[in-house]
Amino acid sequence: MSSDKLGAEVKGPVRQLAIVLGDQLDHDAPLLDGLDPEQDAVLMMEVEEEAKHVPSHKQRTTLFLSAMRHFAIDLVERGLRVRYVKLDTPHNTQSFDGEVKRAVKVLGPECLKITHPGEWRVKRMVESWSDLDVPVEVLPDEHFTTTAEEFAEWAESRKTLVMEYFYREQRKKLDVLMTKDGKPRGGEWNYDSDNRDAFKQAPRAPKRYTPRPDDITREVMELVEKRFADAPGRLDAFGWPVTRREARRALRDFVDRRLKHFGQYQDAMWTDEPFLYHSTLSPCLNLKLLGVKECVEAALGALENGDAPLNSVEGFIRQLIGWREFIRGVYWHEGSRYGEGNGLDQHGELPEFYWNGETDMACLRDSIDQVLEHGYGHHIQRLMVTGNFALIAGIHPRAIADWYLGMYVDGIDWVTTPNTVGMVMHADGGVVGTKPYAASGRYIDRMSNYCKGCRHDPVKRTGDGDQGSDDDSGGKNGDGEGSACPFTTFYWDFLIRNRERFRENHRMAMILKNVDTMDDGERGEITSRARRLRKDLGIGRISR
């Protein structure tokens, strides 16, 4: 297969010009319904702007471009006319705005049609096309089970937005895991208490399905290496689905081989095991190569057949119709300035090791190196390792949000901004989470094997001796050897810094009592060491 099929010229005039973006690769999208091959055309664009507005991982750029090319070829084979602008097409303006204006000039369409974009930045661009004197029709994105309007209606009647309550209504509305009398199947709405096991020994998770790059993907990889030589990340291990067929096979691979143990170990971490029992389907979902409903149906099928337990199936479904839909709803409901939130007034710079993995903290080294290698990390690594460190060290929320957007292959703004600004950084005033997800090195020690052999002791707050232990004592490294873990130092410094800010938060009351019992000397030692660590790591001042 070759992308040469995309070189055919499309001539005007055109009746309807349907614009397909890189995260809208849905063959059943209403946008494509009723297109006449003789009168209408599809516009798809590869532009540098999308690979550079934040530093984008080479695998992320490759995934988008390869998936787009495969999708466009499918459309051509269905008989549709496609104006496909490659990254190296002559006269490419390298922006969506520029390419739409160029297409309008060349093809003279009677109207433009586009599915609702996945981020505010592109939505504003679409709105600016009113200057083209061509009608622009924006169709709803029917990939999701809840519209932005439905979410807004749900949110307006509540003082706080709690995902659990939204999820329960989703279950009822979609009739998923419900009994005939309207009760949750199994008697519980979620099984988080069953889904927090750590590995006691090396896991034996089966290898995930990784499609081999075909000619088109290899062509794109070569282009990305040449065009974005200085971009972060590595391409050697690229193995992401880029077609609908590959995405469906990835879904079946997960359901058949890993869903069974997904629930029990979904919060566990292990050295050099980036995937474990996780689905790794988020890139397929976010590009629309897979649909939410087919993933839910596949998981329910495994439950009915006895191939996966309820706690695993419920946990996976909660990610799909609960958290994922909730996060998108928050993104659109909170408005275009949501991503600028900095509720904890943090202004530190992102340490260099986020780009190269060169750090002596074993958990961060392993988690970041696998991002560089695969463009991937599962949700606990994102929340409790790379994200937790940014939170307690005092990094500016936008700096880490841009890192998440560009460095993960599933990065799209509606996903990464609420997850990072809201859940990870608690920078939205408590919209997404009622308390910050801050933790010391002891949490990482409990849920992983990262701390074993690390030079830092997760129990110690300060210094190199055995004084100043974390109140949550214990752990294999709590023997007084090694320097204090930066996570633990930063954790207690974070609580000290925000002591008064969190005073009225009842969920923080118990842990703040530990801060209150410290004398001034102990608090001073912690804050002093945290200040030295920030200087050594290049974080700089964290507040203004």
Side-chain angles (χ1 to χ4, degrees):
M1 185 184 295
S2 170
S3 63
D4 292 343
K5 292 183 178 181
L6 301 179
E9 182 181 0
V10 176
K11 296 182 179 180
V14 165
R15 184 185 61 170
Q16 299 181 98
L17 183 60
I19 301 168
V20 176
L21 303 178
D23 62 341
Q24 299 177 343
L25 309 182
D26 181 358
H27 286 287
D28 297 321
L31 179 72
L32 303 176
D33 290 346
L35 290 183
D36 185 334
E38 299 298 325
Q39 301 184 77
D40 304 322
V42 173
L43 172 64
M44 297 184 68
M45 306 156 282
E46 300 175 0
V47 295
E48 279 193 359
E49 178 182 62
E50 295 308 299
K52 289 186 173 181
H53 78 277
V54 296
S56 183
H57 194 297
K58 290 177 180 177
Q59 289 199 32
R60 177 175 181 263
T61 302
T62 296
L63 172 63
F64 271 80
L65 299 189
S66 179
M68 287 170 63
R69 292 187 181 191
H70 282 90
F71 184 82
I73 289 172
D74 286 346
L75 296 184
V76 170
E77 291 177 346
R78 285 169 55 177
L80 294 174
R81 294 191 296 166
V82 179
R83 177 182 170 92
Y84 193 94
V85 182
K86 292 184 180 180
L87 203 63
D88 51 2
T89 295
H91 311 300
N92 186 338
T93 62
Q94 303 302 338
S95 75
F96 284 157
D97 198 50
E99 284 310 298
V100 169
K101 290 176 179 177
R102 196 161 68 96
V104 167
K105 185 177 180 179
V106 171
L107 300 179
E110 295 178 18
C111 73
L112 301 176
K113 296 175 63 176
I114 188 170
T115 300
H116 195 289
E119 61 177 293
W120 282 103
R121 177 181 62 90
V122 180
K123 182 177 183 291
R124 287 192 294 267
M125 191 184 304
V126 172
E127 291 169 346
S128 74
W129 295 342
S130 59
D131 295 341
L132 297 175
D133 294 325
V134 178
V136 180
E137 182 181 0
V138 179
L139 281 66
D141 190 340
E142 297 189 359
H143 167 83
F144 299 92
T145 62
T146 303
T147 67
E149 293 75 21
E150 288 171 336
F151 185 88
E153 183 179 352
W154 174 84
E156 291 297 341
S157 62
R158 287 163 172 77
K159 292 182 179 180
T160 57
L161 306 183
V162 180
M163 194 283 290
E164 178 66 22
Y165 299 148
F166 171 79
Y167 169 59
R168 293 180 184 185
E169 293 203 17
Q170 285 279 89
R171 289 265 295 270
K172 295 174 185 176
K173 180 180 78 172
L174 301 172
D175 192 23
V176 172
L177 292 177
M178 301 297 295
T179 62
K180 291 182 179 180
D181 59 354
K183 303 291 184 181
R185 185 163 175 175
E188 302 291 339
W189 286 104
N190 76 61
Y191 293 87
D192 264 353
S193 59
D194 297 331
N195 292 348
R196 293 171 177 162
D197 285 1
F199 295 111
K200 293 181 174 60
Q201 59 186 13
R204 296 182 178 179
K207 297 295 183 182
R208 63 187 263 276
Y209 162 65
T210 53
R212 293 182 180 179
D214 62 10
D215 290 343
I216 292 176
T217 301
R218 287 194 295 271
E219 177 182 83
V220 171
M221 291 169 70
E222 183 178 343
L223 175 64
V224 169
E225 287 283 22
K226 180 180 179 180
R227 193 106 180 189
F228 305 108
D230 296 329
R234 301 184 284 270
L235 270 177
D236 297 347
F238 185 89
W240 297 102
V242 294
T243 67
R244 167 82 173 140
R245 181 184 62 81
E246 290 176 347
R248 292 181 68 181
R249 182 172 173 184
L251 171 60
R252 178 49 54 193
D253 177 71
F254 166 65
V255 170
D256 288 349
R257 305 178 67 216
R258 301 192 304 286
L259 176 58
K260 179 179 180 179
H261 296 296
F262 164 72
Q264 181 181 2
Y265 295 115
Q266 65 176 287
D267 285 2
M269 299 175 282
W270 199 267
T271 303
D272 297 324
E273 289 284 350
F275 308 114
L276 295 169
Y277 295 101
H278 292 269
S279 75
T280 69
L281 295 175
S282 53
C284 300
L285 282 159
N286 292 353
L287 269 62
K288 317 293 171 51
L289 296 175
L290 282 178
V292 176
K293 291 180 181 179
E294 68 182 314
C295 293
V296 170
E297 289 170 0
L300 291 174
L303 177 65
E304 297 303 327
N305 294 334
D307 296 328
L310 179 58
N311 66 301
S312 286
V313 172
E314 185 279 320
F316 178 57
I317 287 176
R318 179 155 28 101
Q319 288 185 338
L320 292 169
I321 66 172
W323 187 252
R324 189 169 182 266
E325 299 273 336
F326 177 79
I327 282 294
R328 178 176 179 264
V330 167
Y331 179 81
W332 292 111
H333 182 259
E334 291 299 310
S336 60
R337 298 183 66 86
Y338 177 82
E340 300 173 16
N342 192 0
L344 299 182
D345 191 31
Q346 302 200 143
H347 298 272
E349 296 183 14
L350 200 65
E352 186 64 24
F353 63 71
Y354 273 82
W355 303 104
N356 56 33
E358 296 175 4
T359 173
D360 61 6
M361 289 174 275
C363 58
L364 278 165
R365 182 174 62 244
D366 193 79
S367 296
I368 292 173
D369 193 62
Q370 74 178 44
V371 174
L372 296 171
E373 185 73 10
H374 301 287
Y376 174 81
H378 65 71
H379 67 276
I380 290 299
Q381 291 172 316
R382 299 191 200 200
L383 178 62
M384 302 308 299
V385 181
T386 54
N388 179 31
F389 187 86
L391 169 66
I392 60 181
I395 305 302
H396 194 291
R398 194 67 250 170
I400 187 66
D402 285 348
W403 186 81
Y404 276 111
L405 175 61
M407 290 298 288
Y408 290 94
V409 292
D410 56 9
I412 296 174
D413 198 51
W414 70 261
V415 179
T416 57
T417 291
N419 268 308
T420 309
V421 173
M423 189 177 190
V424 170
M425 299 301 290
H426 200 66
D428 63 356
V431 174
V432 169
T434 54
K435 67 178 287 291
Y437 281 87
S440 73
R442 283 294 295 115
Y443 174 86
I444 295 171
D445 187 28
R446 186 162 58 247
M447 297 305 300
S448 75
N449 71 333
Y450 290 145
C451 299
K452 185 177 182 180
C454 181
R455 67 179 296 266
H456 300 294
D457 189 328
V459 173
K460 290 162 54 177
R461 299 169 182 165
T462 61
D464 296 321
D466 58 6
Q467 73 279 6
S469 294
D470 189 332
D471 289 286
D472 185 11
S473 59
K476 46 187 168 290
N477 282 5
D479 54 10
E481 297 181 3
S483 63
C485 175
F487 275 85
T488 303
T489 301
F490 281 141
Y491 171 70
W492 290 103
D493 176 69
F494 174 79
L495 294 176
I496 293 168
R497 283 189 285 116
N498 293 285
R499 185 180 177 192
E500 296 307 316
R501 191 192 305 272
F502 296 139
R503 183 68 70 188
E504 301 303 318
N505 188 323
H506 71 279
R507 295 188 66 193
M508 299 290 290
M510 184 175 295
I511 193 64
L512 286 178
K513 287 181 180 178
N514 292 313
V515 177
D516 293 340
T517 60
M518 294 179 184
D519 59 37
D520 291 343
E522 187 174 8
R523 284 195 291 266
E525 189 176 356
I526 290 171
T527 57
S528 178
R529 185 171 195 269
R531 193 179 303 115
R532 291 195 303 272
L533 281 171
R534 290 190 190 94
K535 182 178 179 181
D536 292 344
L537 294 171
I539 293 173
R541 292 182 62 188
I542 61 169
S543 61
R544 295 174 183 172

